[in-house]
Amino acid sequence: MKAIQVSAPGDADALQYVDVPMPVAKENEVLVRVEAIGVNYIDVYHRTGLYKLPLPFIPGSEAAGVIEETSERVAWAFLSGTYAEYAAVPREKLVPLPPDVDVRTAAASMLQGMTAHYLVTSTYPLAAGSTALVHAAAGGVGGILVQMAKQRGARVFATASTSKLDIVRELGADVVIDYTIDDFAEVIFRETEQRGVDVVYDSVGRTTFDRSLDVLATRGMLVLFGQSSGVVPPIDPTRFAKKSTFFSRPTLGAYTVTRDELLWRSRDLFESIRSGEVRIRIDRELPLRDAAQAHRLLESRATTGKLVLVP
Ligand code: NDP
């Protein structure tokens, strides 16, 4: 079968389109014909070696397709090896697709959608009247996060780079800030009578971290869940003392521990998509062989919403 393989960590050229043997399903696994693959920033971290996988490996953390044996339509996330025509997947990690959710939407939403879901329901549960700041709000996770935060009645402050601001407004954010020009903390203090926000969901990392910490209200929570601008340097914990700040560095794996939790989050997500409360924005679809191009787009901040690869 055709697949993308990484033999040595590196830039996007490390993603090689090659022939590899068909995967063989072990006990408790099934063979899935992959029909659509979601591209995620974590795939970049695997490729560069920031998050290490044994070499050589097939990258990719999310896909949807059809179980060969039973023709069931399924999707899965947070398991590596999806940049391929087929994958052997543990049955317990597969989520059945409702009839009216197509494979492309599923592949475009599982990982980022369940991430947004655990952030707003479990890491810092939002309620009517909560105030939240979402960075990179035109991005994959960010775009869904804004919509789910609004669904729960929060007042949402959202940042993005200049050309993406209209998209963030359309998503329903209350205050939209160009963080490449304005100091987002200053804007938020002005808008909140100097109080700050209850929670910052920060996936940008290095360039936003310090001001994210500053802009929290007393006993607020800083949720650092990614680092698209680079890794945050070590931090002195006494910095959290000034406002009794809570700090979390969560991952999806810890919020889909049991099969029940996985099904709950995916069901909620698909329900929000079917009802139209959450819209999944697919930036563009590319053939699997162009995975390197997809990574270049993502890393150069050229995307809004999701990139999907099609085998
Ligand atoms: P995005 O679609 O959000 O793409 C990244 C965005 O980050 C860019 O479009 C850009 O938006 C912004 N950005 C700011 N500075 C930079 C920079 N220097 N280089 C590149 N991008 C920059 O990606 P994802 O939604 O896939 O992922 C976002 C982050 O969330 C990643 O760090 C990812 O690893 C993390 N994540 C964490 C999970 C978890 O459970 N912990 C699960 C899923 C994702 P703009 O142009 O508006 O600044």
Side-chain angles (χ1 to χ4, degrees), residues 118-119 122-124 135 198-206 208-214 216-227 231-241 243-251 255:
Y118 83 68
L119 291 171
S122 305
T123 309
Y124 187 96
H135 286 307
D198 298 322
V199 58
V200 179
Y201 299 110
D202 190 338
S203 67
V204 174
R206 183 185 285 269
T208 46
F209 186 86
D210 284 333
R211 293 302 271 160
S212 293
L213 191 53
D214 292 342
L216 283 169
T218 297
R219 298 199 311 241
M221 182 183 280
L222 176 51
V223 183
L224 178 72
F225 68 97
Q227 58 270 312
V231 175
V232 176
I235 176 166
D236 172 0
T238 57
R239 283 183 64 193
F240 299 133
K243 295 186 194 167
S244 289
T245 296
F246 293 90
F247 176 69
S248 181
R249 176 57 178 92
T251 68
Y255 285 90

Side-chain angles (χ1 to χ4, degrees), residues 158-277:
T159 62
S161 59
T162 315
S163 63
K164 305 178 183 176
L165 302 176
D166 283 343
I167 287 166
V168 181
R169 274 184 210 107
E170 277 165 31
L171 292 169
D174 296 285
V175 178
V176 179
I177 307 165
D178 184 342
Y179 61 178
T180 63
I181 295 178
D182 293 321
D183 176 353
F184 62 84
E186 227 173 70
V187 176
I188 290 169
F189 279 131
R190 203 167 53 230
E191 290 280 337
T192 59
E193 291 163 358
Q194 304 305 313
R195 179 182 176 274
V197 286
D198 298 322
V199 58
V200 179
Y201 299 110
D202 190 338
S203 67
V204 174
R206 183 185 285 269
T207 58
T208 46
F209 186 86
D210 284 333
R211 293 302 271 160
S212 293
L213 191 53
D214 292 342
V215 80
L216 283 169
T218 297
R219 298 199 311 241
M221 182 183 280
L222 176 51
V223 183
L224 178 72
F225 68 97
Q227 58 270 312
S228 49
S229 71
V231 175
V232 176
I235 176 166
D236 172 0
T238 57
R239 283 183 64 193
F240 299 133
K242 193 171 160 203
K243 295 186 194 167
S244 289
T245 296
F246 293 90
F247 176 69
S248 181
R249 176 57 178 92
T251 68
L252 179 58
Y255 285 90
T256 45
V257 175
T258 63
R259 174 124 185 107
D260 278 351
E261 193 173 28
L262 173 68
L263 291 177
W264 164 51
R265 295 198 191 283
S266 56
R267 220 178 13 239
D268 257 22
L269 169 67
F270 291 143
E271 196 43 53
S272 299
I273 294 172
R274 292 160 79 190
S275 70
E277 280 177 282

Side-chain angles (χ1 to χ4, degrees), residues 36-39 62-64 75 102-111 306 308:
I37 303 154
V39 176
E62 167 179 51
D102 63 88
V103 279
R104 291 187 185 193
T105 303
S109 62
M110 274 281 283
L111 197 151
K306 186 74 175 182
V308 171

Side-chain angles (χ1 to χ4, degrees), residues 34-35 112 235:
V34 177
E35 294 193 338
Q112 295 171 337
I235 176 166

Side-chain angles (χ1 to χ4, degrees), residues 47-126:
R47 192 202 74 216
T48 60
L50 178 67
Y51 299 168
K52 294 214 172 1
L53 289 178
L55 295 162
F57 65 88
I58 297 173
S61 314
E62 167 179 51
V66 174
I67 299 179
E68 275 287 274
E69 230 175 57
T70 60
S71 299
E72 280 168 274
R73 296 160 69 250
V74 290
W76 70 103
F78 223 62
L79 273 184
S80 57
T82 61
Y83 285 15
E85 291 178 316
Y86 291 87
V89 187
R91 196 171 255 292
E92 61 169 27
K93 301 288 183 191
L94 291 172
V95 169
L97 292 190
D100 50 357
V101 174
D102 63 88
V103 279
R104 291 187 185 193
T105 303
S109 62
M110 274 281 283
L111 197 151
Q112 295 171 337
M114 290 197 300
T115 298
H117 186 270
Y118 83 68
L119 291 171
V120 302
T121 58
S122 305
T123 309
Y124 187 96
L126 293 176

